[in-house]
Amino acid sequence: MGAPSALPLLLLFACCWAPGGANLSQDDSQPWTSDETVVAGGTVVLKCQVKDHEDSSLQWSNPAQQTLYFGEKRALRDNRIQLVSSTPHELSISISNVALADEGEYTCSIFTMPVRTAKSLVTVLGIPQKPIITGYKSSLREKDTMTLNCHSSGSKPAAQLTWRKGDQELHGEPTRIQEDSNGKTFTVSSSVTLQVTREDDGADIVCSVNHESLKGADRSTSQHIEVLYTPTAMIRPDPPHPREGQKLSLHCEGRGNPVPQKYLWMKEGSDPPLKTTQESALIFPFLNKSDSGIYGCTAISNMGSYTAYFTLNVNDPSPVPSSTSTYHAIIGGIVAFIVFLLLILLIFLGHYLIRHKGTYLTHEAKGSDDAPDADTAIINAEGGQSGGDDKKEYFI
């Protein structure tokens, strides 16, 4: 019984250690690939490699098990599929203009004994379409409630939708997902509800779709909204501090949607109204003290009216300079002019003295060198009388 039980062990040893020392526990003839992700319409490269080809060629086949390339030989007539590289150790092909139908498992095979294969899962991303916003019909009134809907089709996997108003993010309902009729892509939708104010007039409500196939690119749609609201107004005087005798314009600056079409001017205590016009300014050609008072401007539009008030105080005319002030100004000017002349005179006098003092000192030095002084002359005279021809000079 011992001999038969030892036979399987001997067979296992023989299989693990083949002649020549080849270690079959590491299969160098097993090809390898990698999974790939591609955006619909893009190009994907399928690469298959093997270390020991055992004198056999590599082959690529599609999910339907149709052979695409056997070595460098094309097997399927599809111009989108091109050979990239074919060597005994590598077979690479490319598929351009990839469609959603191209998604699936691609097989790389090497026909050794036994046949060895490797799988590459190709995932095709469906690009979402530009979102569409519905729900806005016409202009809204201030404080009305508005609901906007947004949807986008064709994404795979399902995209996400977000809302914003300018730079402000809006919190809409969670994105709803529905499978498209092709069974591969999805339609996503979302809605947002907000109460509008006058600050929303002219605003853009934006719906954006976020998806990995866009690679950060913006794909969004905006809805411009218009909000109708009652007017406001303020009165601006020109000039700001009017005086008696000046011309004054009171400008009634109205704002609203629609803009005010009519302005009604009135003065408190005065009846009837001063002016009803489409122009927004009340003009005083020549102001009088009697024009002082409280003025009101009512801006009127189809949405309502608003009255702004302004208190007009007419100041005294601009004061005329008095004779005393004029006299002081004249005296000050004369004194300044005299001081200026004196400064100029002093400058010229100083320059003159410095120049002529230098000349005088030069002449004095020359005179002292050429002529003897008085004491020397007297001694010379005395020496001449007593000494005859012997003339001696003594200098004191």
Side-chain angles (χ1 to χ4, degrees), residues 360-379:
Y360 172 78
L361 292 176
T362 302
H363 286 302
E364 185 179 24
K366 289 181 179 180
S368 62
D369 291 339
D370 297 336
D373 57 16
D375 294 333
T376 305
I378 292 172
I379 293 173

Side-chain angles (χ1 to χ4, degrees), residues 203-383:
D204 289 320
I205 309 298
V206 180
C207 175
S208 300
V209 57
N210 302 318
H211 195 262
E212 55 186 304
S213 66
L214 300 176
K215 299 179 180 179
D218 178 64
R219 179 156 294 186
S220 59
T221 299
S222 63
Q223 176 63 64
H224 189 79
I225 63 174
E226 183 182 12
V227 180
L228 305 177
Y229 57 94
T230 56
T232 59
M234 65 174 292
I235 299 175
R236 178 178 59 83
D238 182 24
H241 305 289
R243 293 183 177 275
E244 188 176 10
Q246 288 183 328
K247 178 182 177 180
L248 172 68
S249 297
L250 295 180
H251 297 276
C252 186
E253 298 177 346
R255 178 177 176 267
N257 188 16
V259 296
Q261 295 93 21
K262 188 185 296 184
Y263 296 90
L264 175 64
W265 285 95
M266 64 191 74
K267 182 181 180 183
E268 196 172 89
S270 175
D271 192 36
L274 300 176
K275 187 179 181 183
T276 301
T277 178
Q278 293 182 348
E279 301 295 331
S280 61
L282 181 64
I283 299 175
F284 299 83
F286 190 88
L287 272 179
N288 293 311
K289 283 283 189 178
S290 59
D291 292 325
S292 297
I294 299 176
Y295 289 81
C297 170
T298 302
I300 305 170
S301 74
N302 295 337
M303 294 296 297
S305 62
Y306 181 89
T307 302
Y309 294 94
F310 176 77
T311 300
L312 174 61
N313 294 314
V314 180
N315 298 314
D316 292 332
S318 299
V320 178
S322 63
S323 58
T324 304
S325 300
T326 305
Y327 174 77
H328 288 166
I330 294 173
I331 294 300
I334 293 173
V335 171
F337 181 73
I338 292 173
V339 171
F340 176 75
L341 290 178
L342 288 175
L343 287 175
I344 294 176
L345 183 59
L346 288 174
I347 291 171
F348 277 96
L349 182 59
H351 181 71
Y352 175 83
L353 290 176
I354 291 172
R355 185 175 178 183
H356 284 271
K357 183 178 180 181
T359 306
Y360 172 78
L361 292 176
T362 302
H363 286 302
E364 185 179 24
K366 289 181 179 180
S368 62
D369 291 339
D370 297 336
D373 57 16
D375 294 333
T376 305
I378 292 172
I379 293 173
N380 289 340
E382 292 176 352

Side-chain angles (χ1 to χ4, degrees), residues 35-94:
D35 295 338
E36 303 293 339
T37 300
V38 61
V39 177
T43 299
V44 63
V45 176
L46 302 179
K47 185 177 183 179
C48 180
Q49 295 174 288
V50 66
K51 189 173 182 181
D52 185 4
H53 56 85
E54 296 186 12
D55 294 328
S56 182
S57 297
L58 294 168
Q59 171 187 288
W60 272 111
S61 56
N62 62 16
Q65 296 304 313
Q66 296 173 310
T67 300
L68 303 178
Y69 266 89
F70 181 74
E72 61 182 9
K73 296 180 181 179
R74 180 196 296 270
L76 186 67
R77 291 185 178 180
D78 189 340
N79 292 330
R80 300 180 307 136
I81 305 173
Q82 297 293 329
L83 179 66
V84 176
S85 175
S86 177
T87 69
H89 300 281
E90 177 187 334
L91 178 61
S92 297
I93 62 172
S94 66

Side-chain angles (χ1 to χ4, degrees), residues 12-24:
L12 180 60
F13 180 83
C15 291
C16 292
W17 294 94
N23 187 358
L24 299 181

Side-chain angles (χ1 to χ4, degrees), residues 40 100 124-130 151-161 175-180 182-189 209-214 219:
L100 293 172
V124 181
L125 302 178
I127 303 175
Q129 297 178 1
K130 186 179 177 68
H151 71 273
S152 171
S153 302
S155 60
K156 178 182 172 298
Q160 291 293 319
L161 297 174
T175 302
R176 300 180 294 273
I177 302 172
Q178 182 179 357
E179 189 177 60
D180 293 335
N182 58 19
K184 294 182 178 294
T185 59
F186 300 90
T187 294
V188 293
S189 59
V209 57
N210 302 318
H211 195 262
E212 55 186 304
S213 66
L214 300 176
R219 179 156 294 186

